[in-house]
Amino acid sequence: MEENARLWDIFLDVQSGLPRQGPGCADATRRALALCVGLPDRPRVLDVGCGPGMQTMVLAQELDGQITAVDLYEEYLEQLKARVAAAGVMDRIEVLAGDMNDLALPEHHFDLIWAEGSAYNMGFANALEAWKPLLKPGGYLAATELVWLAPAPERPAEAVAFWDGEYPAMTDVQTVASMFRDRGYKLAGHFTLPDTAWWDDYYAPLADKLPMLRQKYRDDDEALGVVEMTQREIEMRRKFGDSYGYEFFVGRRGG
Ligand SMILES: C[S@@+](CC[C@H](N)C(=O)[O-])C[C@H]1O[C@@H](n2cnc3c(N)ncnc32)[C@H](O)[C@@H]1O
């Protein structure tokens, strides 16, 4: 347990200070939002696993409603609070520390639940199930998920071996779409994030940090292991990025 806690601390150190904590971009956030047709003028929005909140700020620009942004990690929440203060939108964004597995929030309250790169933390299908009661009937759930884009026989063995280790639950677009349907959502649409969404605000700044981290942890094999795994993940994307991607799904809760 202590071992896990230490590895987690190293992982957080590797990830700290990045503009985003996963693939994504403002254009994709806007494109997914455009699929949420018929939102009220001042929607109530829940951004789960908001991280440093780049997408939260885009939502605040595009919508005139109230946003509740939740994450487990204080450091990310501090980053988001600084962004909220800089933009002067403290009255419209509430930043909350909380666990997505146990959200103490009112039922039938939100018009829109947003989850970029975060639902996988509790299992994508579990998240669809657990968060549904928080949505008003007809409310939307927009979430990104890592999926295979290539059919199984065409997936590069090296990429399959890597992701089998890192994210064994990884599946494909059709399977995730059926998770929505099986849990009472109508799929409003889905699209694949552009390759730039992996690099500009995530892998490029992450790759820039790696030489500093190698130096910092030069006498710590365990930490170096985490750094090298990060390097491998970035290499996977460079070599095999055509075979997998991040898919943005937008589902609408039935009545
Ligand atoms: C891949 S990051 C995505 C962050 C952000 N949405 C973005 O796109 O930059 C996943 C986020 O989920 C958060 N997270 C992980 N487990 C969580 C939990 N149990 N409850 C709330 N947030 C959690 C992490 O702290 C992290 O900020």
Side-chain angles (χ1 to χ4, degrees):
M1 199 66 186
E2 266 176 29
E3 187 72 352
N4 280 347
R6 174 151 202 278
L7 280 175
W8 191 243
D9 283 347
I10 297 162
F11 173 79
L12 290 178
D13 188 27
V14 170
Q15 297 280 329
S16 79
L18 304 175
R20 309 189 60 103
Q21 283 297 320
C25 64
D27 281 353
T29 299
R30 288 194 196 97
R31 185 172 165 192
L33 194 52
L35 292 169
C36 304
V37 176
L39 281 176
D41 289 344
R42 309 194 67 180
R44 286 196 192 127
V45 182
L46 173 64
D47 185 0
V48 193
C50 60
M54 211 169 221
Q55 74 293 327
T56 322
M57 301 311 294
V58 175
L59 293 172
Q61 281 160 13
E62 299 295 321
L63 297 170
D64 200 15
Q66 279 303 127
I67 302 176
T68 304
V70 180
D71 203 279
L72 203 51
Y73 294 104
E74 203 52 53
E75 180 188 325
Y76 301 152
L77 295 175
E78 289 306 318
Q79 258 180 283
L80 173 55
K81 282 179 194 164
R83 284 177 162 157
V84 170
V89 286
M90 290 85 78
D91 55 330
R92 292 205 295 116
I93 302 181
E94 182 186 19
V95 180
L96 281 183
D99 185 344
M100 65 172 72
N101 294 281
D102 186 22
L103 292 166
L105 293 166
E107 295 200 348
H108 294 183
H109 184 74
F110 293 98
D111 299 290
L112 175 61
I113 295 181
W114 208 263
E116 289 200 35
S118 58
Y120 81 94
N121 282 292
M122 59 184 284
F124 198 89
N126 293 338
L128 294 181
E129 188 84 43
W131 301 342
K132 192 173 159 192
L134 305 179
L135 276 178
K136 293 178 189 167
Y140 287 93
L141 193 155
T144 57
E145 173 70 339
L146 181 67
V147 289
W148 289 109
L149 298 175
E154 292 168 27
R155 294 172 194 162
E158 198 180 331
V160 171
F162 179 82
W163 286 113
D164 277 357
E166 290 304 295
Y167 187 37
M170 183 171 169
T171 173
D172 57 18
V173 172
Q174 288 70 28
T175 306
V176 178
S178 65
M179 290 177 193
F180 275 89
R181 284 191 287 269
D182 293 349
R183 281 155 191 86
Y185 296 84
K186 190 168 184 292
L187 207 58
H190 64 91
F191 60 91
T192 307
L193 263 58
D195 195 45
T196 49
W198 288 75
W199 295 100
D200 294 355
D201 290 319
Y202 187 47
Y203 279 165
L206 185 56
D208 284 348
K209 280 185 73 180
L210 297 183
M212 176 278 288
L213 289 162
R214 281 197 188 94
Q215 182 63 18
K216 174 175 177 180
Y217 291 120
R218 61 189 178 280
D219 299 322
D220 181 340
D221 286 347
E222 196 173 37
L224 284 177
V226 178
V227 175
E228 292 321 316
M229 190 51 105
T230 307
Q231 172 79 53
R232 275 199 29 84
E233 185 183 322
I234 295 171
E235 273 167 26
M236 283 301 125
R237 183 71 203 168
R238 268 205 193 98
K239 283 165 82 173
F240 305 118
D242 288 349
S243 64
Y244 62 89
Y246 248 73
E247 192 79 3
F248 223 131
F249 296 89
V250 177
R252 188 167 202 184
R253 184 192 157 154

